[in-house]
Amino acid sequence: MPADLVLRNARVDGYDGDVDIVVRGGTIDAIEHAASVDDRCPVVDAAHRYVSPGLVETHVHLDKSCIVDRVQNGEGTLAEAIREVAKAKAAFTVDDVHARASRTLERAIVQGTTRMRTHVEVDPGIGLRGFDAVRALFDEYAWAIDLEICVFPQEGLTNNPGTEALMIEALRRGARVVGAAPYVDTDPHAQIDRVFAIARDFDVPIDMHLDFTLDVTKMDVEYVCAKTREHHYGGRVAIGHASTLSALPARRFDEVATMLADAGVAVTVLPSTDLFLMGRGFDHDVPRGVAPVHRLVRAGANASLATNNVLNPFTPFGDCSLLRMANLYANIAQLGQPDELALCHDMVTIRAAQLMGVADARVAPGANADLVVLDCLDRVQAVAELAIPLHVFKRGRMTASRVPAMLHRP
Ligand SMILES: [Zn+2]
C-alpha cells in the first residue's frame, strides 16, 4: 500500500532528534530517521517541531455552548447557571443547537482536538432536540474528530418524570455513554443507582458529574466507588468535577485516592468551570475548588483535564484549547517541574483517551495517525508556553492548519 503521508523532521516522545512519521491507511506505519517513500507521497515538513498525539476532550457540553448573550450571569453560582440555562433551553431548536455546537466543535478541531466526549442533556423541557442536533455532527465531522455523546439529566432524574425514558431513547439512537448529575436530584443515591442500572442494560460506560461542591459532608464519591465494585464496572466509570477532593485534608484525600484507584474510577477535572463557580460564598482567601488530580495519578487512578463549558453561565470563557486547560491546571496546582508538566499533557492526550476506553493514543507505529504539530520542541514546552497548533491530522489527513506568527521588522 502506498503511504498516505510522510511527516518529516518531527520531534516525537521516545525518539532522539528528528524523525519522519510514515502514515498508511490512516495508521502510523513507521517512525524512522530519513524514511524513504514513493516520490508521489504527500510530504509535510514539521520543521523540527514537536508532534503530539491528537488532543482528547473527555468532557464538554456542545449543546449549551455559546449562549452568554442570552442569559443573566450576575451571581456566578452553580444554582444560577442551572436556572439560567434551563430558561434559555426552552427556546433551543435543533437548528440553533446544531449551529452553536458546530461552531464550538470547529474551534476544538483547530486547537488540535481529534477525539471528544460531549455531554448532552435531555429532559421533558428540551426533549431530544439537543441530542438530535449533536448526533448529526458525528457523521458531518467524522473527517476531523471521533465524537461520542454522554446523555445525562441536568435537571434531575428521579424528581423529573419523563427524563429516564428520554435518556433511554437517546441511548437507543446512538448515545454511547450514560451520565448523571446526582447533586441536582432530590435523591442523589437513587439517581446513581438508576444510572448504573441503565448502563448495565445498554452495556455502556458511565460518566457522572459528581461532588460539585466544597461541602465535604455531601460527597458521593465513596458511594460511586462501592457501586462500581458491586457492578464490576471498574475502568468504565468516570466522574467530573469532584471539587470536594480539593477540600479534604491530606490523609483523607489519600484514602479517597486509593479507593478511586482500587475501584477503577477515573476523575476529570474541569479547571475553568471549577475556578469560576466554586467558593462564591467567600469574600477573601477564595478557595480554588479544583481537585488535585495529579495526586490521584500518583495513587494509581486515572485522570483527565477537560473544557466542560464554553461561553455560558457555567463558564463565560472559552477557546476550546485543551493545552490552555493543561496550562491552567499546572498553574493553579502549582506544578512546574518537567515531569509534572508532561503529566498535564498526558491528561489531555493519552490519559484522556484511556478514560474513554482508547488504549493507545501515543504517536507510535500501529496507532491511529491523529497528530498535532505544535510550535515547540516537546510536551513540557507545549504546556509551559501554550504552544500553537500548526497542523492537525485525523487518521493521517490534514484537517486544520495555521501559519506560525512572523515579525515584520522595519
Ligand atoms: Zn459538565
Side-chain angles (χ1 to χ4, degrees):
M1 192 198 299
D4 311 336
L5 169 77
V6 59
L7 185 53
R8 293 219 187 266
N9 305 312
R11 300 279 169 102
V12 174
D13 292 322
Y15 291 83
D16 288 329
D18 290 348
V19 290
D20 297 343
I21 302 170
V22 181
V23 179
R24 280 192 174 83
T27 299
I28 298 172
D29 185 54
I31 300 176
E32 54 198 30
H33 294 279
S36 65
V37 289
D38 192 294
D39 287 348
R40 287 163 298 180
C41 174
V43 175
V44 175
D45 186 4
H48 322 294
R49 294 186 175 94
Y50 175 61
V51 177
S52 168
L55 306 179
V56 178
E57 174 72 79
T58 63
H59 187 133
V60 66
H61 296 260
L62 292 179
D63 57 339
K64 58 186 174 192
S65 65
C66 305
I67 56 166
V68 263
D69 53 347
R70 308 180 189 182
V71 294
Q72 295 279 329
N73 192 14
E75 299 165 14
T77 60
L78 175 59
E80 179 191 54
I82 293 173
R83 194 172 66 233
E84 284 298 314
V85 173
K87 271 196 275 175
K89 222 161 49 168
F92 285 5
T93 64
V94 174
D95 288 348
D96 168 48
V97 175
H98 185 272
R100 289 183 290 98
S102 301
R103 179 187 166 203
T104 305
L105 191 58
E106 288 179 17
R107 292 198 86 178
I109 293 165
V110 169
Q111 300 286 17
T113 303
T114 55
R115 183 177 294 279
M116 175 184 283
R117 174 179 289 176
T118 178
H119 288 257
V120 172
E121 54 200 75
V122 295
D123 53 61
I126 181 77
L128 291 169
R129 298 196 300 281
F131 173 82
D132 287 338
V134 176
R135 177 69 184 80
L137 304 178
F138 281 27
D139 298 329
E140 291 170 29
Y141 287 90
W143 54 274
I145 194 160
D146 288 311
L147 186 60
E148 72 177 22
I149 291 179
C150 173
V151 63
F152 88 110
Q154 177 68 79
E155 294 176 31
L157 181 64
T158 67
N159 53 302
N160 205 356
T163 301
E164 183 167 331
L166 289 163
M167 288 171 68
I168 285 167
E169 183 57 24
L171 286 158
R172 288 198 182 113
R173 293 196 201 175
R176 292 186 201 135
V177 185
V178 61
Y183 49 80
V184 295
D185 211 293
T186 44
D187 189 343
H189 285 194
Q191 180 178 129
I192 292 166
D193 292 347
R194 284 308 308 147
V195 165
F196 269 94
I198 296 168
R200 292 208 49 173
D201 284 348
F202 282 86
D203 191 23
V204 292
I206 295 170
D207 197 336
M208 300 188 176
H209 295 78
L210 204 78
D211 295 349
F212 193 19
T213 171
L214 297 180
D215 182 350
V216 297
T217 66
K218 291 189 176 156
M219 279 198 333
D220 288 324
V221 63
E222 285 152 307
Y223 189 73
V224 168
C225 287
K227 286 282 146 188
T228 302
R229 283 192 298 270
E230 180 187 321
H231 292 287
H232 306 288
Y233 240 62
R236 300 183 78 192
V237 178
I239 60 173
H241 296 296
S243 316
T244 42
L245 294 179
S246 72
L248 293 178
R251 186 180 296 178
R252 182 83 181 94
F253 177 91
D254 290 344
E255 285 170 9
V256 176
T258 303
M259 188 191 318
L260 286 161
D262 291 348
V265 175
V267 179
T268 296
V269 76
L270 307 159
S272 189
T273 304
D274 297 344
L275 282 168
F276 188 71
L277 292 179
M278 290 293 97
R280 286 284 177 165
F282 291 74
D283 66 3
H284 66 286
D285 273 349
V286 180
R288 300 166 191 208
V290 177
V293 282
H294 60 288
R295 288 164 56 198
L296 297 181
V297 170
R298 285 183 201 143
N302 191 24
S304 71
L305 309 171
T307 302
N308 197 31
N309 280 292
V310 179
L311 300 170
N312 71 18
F314 292 87
T315 320
F317 321 118
D319 57 0
C320 306
S321 166
L322 282 168
L323 281 179
R324 189 170 66 83
M325 284 305 123
N327 174 283
L328 179 62
Y329 180 79
N331 203 157
I332 55 188
Q334 302 176 319
L335 305 177
Q337 296 299 314
D339 61 326
E340 295 172 331
L341 295 172
L343 171 61
C344 292
H345 178 263
D346 287 350
M347 289 195 285
V348 294
T349 54
I350 54 177
R351 284 189 169 276
Q354 194 187 329
L355 183 147
M356 291 175 64
V358 177
D360 197 356
R362 292 171 196 279
V363 178
N368 262 359
D370 294 354
L371 308 166
V372 191
V373 180
L374 295 171
D375 195 6
C376 63
L377 295 174
D378 57 37
R379 59 191 173 146
V380 172
Q381 194 187 9
V383 174
E385 300 183 21
L386 284 170
I388 304 290
L390 296 180
H391 300 291
V392 186
F393 299 88
K394 183 64 182 172
R395 292 180 284 272
R397 183 185 167 277
M398 195 184 294
T399 56
S401 60
R402 54 163 79 67
V403 178
M406 282 178 282
L407 290 176
H408 298 277
R409 296 184 189 279

